[in-house]
Each structure stands twice: as C-alpha cells, then as structure tokens.
Amino acid sequence: MNRYAIRLISCLFLFAAGMGIAQAQTPTRASVDKLLAVTETRKLMEQNQAQVEGMMRRAFEQNMANSPDPAAAKAVADKVIAKLAGQVRNELSWEKMEGFYVQLYTETFTQQEIDGLIRFYESEAGHAFTRKMPIVMQKSMMMTQERLAPLMQQLKAAIQEAVAEQRRAQQQQGKPAPGR
C-alpha cells in the first residue's frame, strides 16, 4: 500500500474511534438534573415513602389483631411507626438521595441516552408514563403480595414441621427439646 492509503485508513480509523468516544460521552449534571425533573423522581420517592409507611401500619395492625389490649397495642404501634417513618423520611430524603441518583444515572447512561430519555419523558407518552407508573407499581406490589401470601404460609408450615422434626429427633436421642 502506498503512504496515502495508509494515512487515509489511519484517519478513517481515528475518525471512527472519535465518533465512538463522542457517542459514549458522560452525561452532564444539568442533563441528569433535567431528566430527574421530567421523570418527577423526587415526587415518586415521596410517594414511595408514604406507601412504605402504609405497609408498616398494615403489618402492625395485622400483628396486633390478636392483642389482649388493642388500644394499648395501637398506641405502641403508632409510636413505633411514627419513629420508623421519620427515620425512613430522613434517610431517604431527596436531599440525601439526589446525589446518589445523579451518580447512578451518570455512571449508567451516556449523554445521548439521557438526551433520548428527556425527549421521551417530555412527550405525551412520557408524561402518561410518569403519571401512571405509581399506579402500575402499586398494583404490582399488591399482586406480588397476593402471590406471595400462599408461599409464606407454605414456608411457615415448613419451618414448623422442621422444628417439630428436630424436637422428635432430640427426644428420641434423650436430649431436651429446644425452647423448653
């Protein structure tokens, strides 16, 4: 090959490599901030925190259903839930989590991908997705809980059977059963 062809191929190679680097450019902070704003990430976080608090409350209510003193149990549950919810709100506050999201998006997406996501979320379909995603997530959690309920009962039965089996084996060996 002559020198001209080698130079041309070298220039084309460097140009193609430069294009690959440009396409994989790290997104700017401003573009990530814009994406977080158009996806309403802060609002979704706050809604999720409220849902977690509701789940904690329901779990406490289920556990205190058989309490001999439901009023006292409710008072204790309210106090514990208020404390835990405050801790969750503090630890998962937007002020503490924003940097995490910026880092996560910056390390995961390229500038081109962030720009495409912004275009999508600014579109009508993107707005609908943002508005309806909390509903999808809530229904998804409810469906998952419904599907897991029988599994949890099976797990509880399996644990009880394993404990009973261990007690029987220890009694056969003449050892005291645990918990006695």
Side-chain angles (χ1 to χ4, degrees), residues 65-85:
N66 297 326
S67 172
D69 187 357
K74 183 176 181 343
V76 169
D78 288 344
K79 184 177 177 180
V80 170
I81 290 168
K83 181 179 178 181
L84 291 174

Side-chain angles (χ1 to χ4, degrees), residues 13-26 110 112:
F13 176 77
L14 290 173
F15 177 75
M19 291 296 290
I21 291 170
Q23 290 178 347
Q25 182 184 19
T26 302
T110 65
Q112 184 179 8

Side-chain angles (χ1 to χ4, degrees), residues 11-151:
C11 286
L12 288 173
F13 176 77
L14 290 173
F15 177 75
M19 291 296 290
I21 291 170
Q23 290 178 347
Q25 182 184 19
T26 302
T28 64
R29 170 69 191 245
S31 66
V32 172
D33 286 343
K34 184 172 183 177
L35 179 61
L36 293 172
V38 297
T39 57
E40 299 180 1
T41 303
R42 181 179 189 158
K43 180 179 171 184
L44 292 174
M45 277 183 51
E46 290 167 356
Q47 288 173 345
N48 285 342
Q49 289 172 4
Q51 288 177 350
V52 167
E53 188 174 333
M55 287 174 21
M56 287 190 301
R57 183 166 301 286
R58 284 188 295 279
F60 269 97
E61 287 171 357
Q62 288 173 354
N63 285 328
M64 67 182 180
N66 297 326
S67 172
D69 187 357
K74 183 176 181 343
V76 169
D78 288 344
K79 184 177 177 180
V80 170
I81 290 168
K83 181 179 178 181
L84 291 174
Q87 290 173 332
V88 168
R89 276 192 300 276
N90 182 47
E91 285 303 312
L92 300 179
S93 69
W94 180 249
E95 290 71 23
K96 288 188 178 182
M97 296 299 293
E98 181 181 16
F100 166 76
Y101 279 105
V102 169
Q103 178 183 352
L104 178 64
Y105 281 51
T106 301
E107 291 175 355
T108 305
F109 296 103
T110 65
Q111 183 64 55
Q112 184 179 8
E113 292 166 338
I114 293 287
D115 293 341
L117 288 167
I118 290 170
R119 282 191 299 277
F120 168 73
Y121 283 107
E122 287 180 331
S123 72
E124 272 188 55
H127 287 297
F129 185 85
T130 300
R131 270 192 326 275
K132 294 180 180 181
M133 202 56 186
I135 298 166
V136 169
M137 294 303 295
Q138 185 177 20
K139 287 182 178 181
S140 172
M141 286 189 337
M142 288 171 43
M143 289 170 58
T144 300
Q145 287 174 354
E146 288 172 8
R147 294 195 71 143
L148 287 178
L151 180 61

